Amino acid sequence: MSEIRELIDGNWTVKLGHVHRESIKALILQQYHQKEKGLPTELAQVANEAASVGGDGGAGVESSGKLKLYSYWRSSCSCRVRIGLNLKGIEYEYKAVHLLKGEQRSPEYLKLNPVGFVPALVDGDIVLADSFAILMYLEEKFPERPLLPKDLQKRAINYQAANIVASGIQPYQNIPILKFMKEKFGPDEDVAWARDHIRRGFAALEKLLKDHAGKYATGDEVFLADLFLAPQVDGAIRRFNVDMNEFPTLLRIYEAYSEIPAFRDAMPGKQPDTPPEHRD
């Protein structure tokens, strides 16, 4: 894993990983000429450390082109990205982060994602967190199988549906929130809390998509909204016992996802870190 050091000196913010010695030298010279006062002494120290670790052969960040996805089997946010990677046919290395054991708060993981959530994606020297940002990055870098339609209105509907899930539903079922509700109000209140917010969000999605849905959320092709809907509906059914008969459009769309290998293989029950009792 690349060790990223962040130093701040006035308006300076410099991020360095374990990179080749010559790259460090070039960076130092470049920054020196940009700042007549010269480099902060801390930057030179970090540069020397990185150069000594990398040696003449470099490395720290692996030169392999395979992406790394830091994920948790039951995380709906991670599942969105897994579906996107599968749809685009991108091979990646699965790095399990056990949320219930608190591995997301380890110093090593916090260097990747200071917020301490999953997923996080590592692509060479690039580290991204937040499923929406990751999916937009993948869309730009690997455009061959687009996740967004060309039609402007349909694209906007995809953004809107995805954000209803990401902002109006999923945050209310995060582990810390559910733990707080359970401890503060009683042993069954966590599920009731999550179910209530899921039902409200699903009601909004049902109204939004009724005039736009085809076989999938916004027509007969899979797009961004579907990546957000699939894990959210799956979790609503499996974890929170939501009666999906109240939301016939969402239920029909969800059932259609089971026909697509890219969706099936990304679901929580089929991940490397899925516990045996939850495997499909």
Side-chain angles (χ1 to χ4, degrees), residues 73-84 86-87 135 158 161-162 164-166 169-170 173 198 202 205 209 215-218 222-240 244 249-269 280:
W73 69 278
R74 201 164 62 177
S75 162
S76 62
C77 300
S78 299
C79 187
R80 302 166 192 164
V81 177
R82 296 194 300 255
I83 296 170
N86 290 348
L87 284 171
L135 288 169
N158 272 270
I164 289 174
V165 173
I169 303 177
Q170 190 277 329
Q173 63 188 54
I198 290 169
F202 280 3
L205 286 165
L209 298 178
K215 185 174 183 179
Y216 307 112
T218 57
V222 166
F223 288 118
L224 183 72
D226 299 291
L227 278 62
F228 282 72
L229 286 172
Q232 185 59 63
V233 175
D234 187 78
I237 295 170
R238 293 176 184 263
R239 295 180 61 193
F240 302 109
M244 291 303 299
T249 301
L250 298 183
L251 179 59
R252 175 179 57 78
I253 292 169
Y254 172 71
E255 290 173 345
Y257 298 145
S258 64
E259 302 172 6
I260 306 174
F263 279 77
R264 291 199 307 266
D265 294 343
M267 288 295 107
D280 291 337

Side-chain angles (χ1 to χ4, degrees), residues 160-176:
Q160 186 175 348
N163 276 295
I164 289 174
V165 173
S167 301
I169 303 177
Q170 190 277 329
Y172 295 102
Q173 63 188 54
N174 273 339
I175 291 173

Side-chain angles (χ1 to χ4, degrees), residues 95-210:
K95 294 284 191 179
V97 180
H98 201 307
L99 300 186
L100 298 184
K101 292 182 179 179
E103 292 178 356
Q104 72 277 20
R105 296 188 295 274
S106 69
E108 293 79 9
Y109 187 72
L110 290 175
K111 290 176 185 176
L112 291 174
N113 185 0
V115 180
F117 294 155
V118 291
L121 184 78
V122 177
D123 181 11
D125 291 328
I126 298 173
V127 181
L128 296 169
D130 182 85
S131 62
F132 208 111
I134 292 170
L135 288 169
M136 292 299 95
Y137 173 78
L138 295 175
E139 180 72 349
E140 293 288 339
K141 183 168 182 178
F142 305 99
E144 293 77 13
R145 185 353 184 142
L147 300 177
L148 291 169
K150 293 182 179 180
D151 180 81
L152 185 60
Q153 181 187 14
K154 188 176 289 187
R155 181 177 290 218
I157 296 300
N158 272 270
Y159 286 139
Q160 186 175 348
N163 276 295
I164 289 174
V165 173
S167 301
I169 303 177
Q170 190 277 329
Y172 295 102
Q173 63 188 54
N174 273 339
I175 291 173
I177 300 297
L178 296 182
K179 182 180 179 182
F180 174 83
M181 294 299 298
K182 193 171 186 176
E183 293 175 350
K184 188 76 174 177
F185 300 106
D188 298 324
E189 292 305 313
D190 56 337
V191 174
W193 163 271
R195 188 187 297 124
D196 179 62
H197 286 284
I198 290 169
R199 291 181 68 252
R200 292 182 187 210
F202 280 3
L205 286 165
E206 189 78 12
K207 292 178 181 178
L208 174 67
L209 298 178
K210 68 177 182 179

Side-chain angles (χ1 to χ4, degrees), residues 31-49:
Q31 298 287 359
Y32 180 82
H33 289 302
Q34 289 177 353
K35 286 276 187 177
E36 292 182 356
K37 293 182 180 180
L39 286 167
T41 56
E42 294 89 349
L43 177 58
Q45 291 172 359
V46 175
N48 288 332
E49 290 175 15

Side-chain angles (χ1 to χ4, degrees), residues 6-15 31:
E6 181 167 325
L7 302 173
I8 300 178
D9 178 23
N11 293 324
W12 289 65
T13 300
V14 182
K15 294 183 179 180
Q31 298 287 359

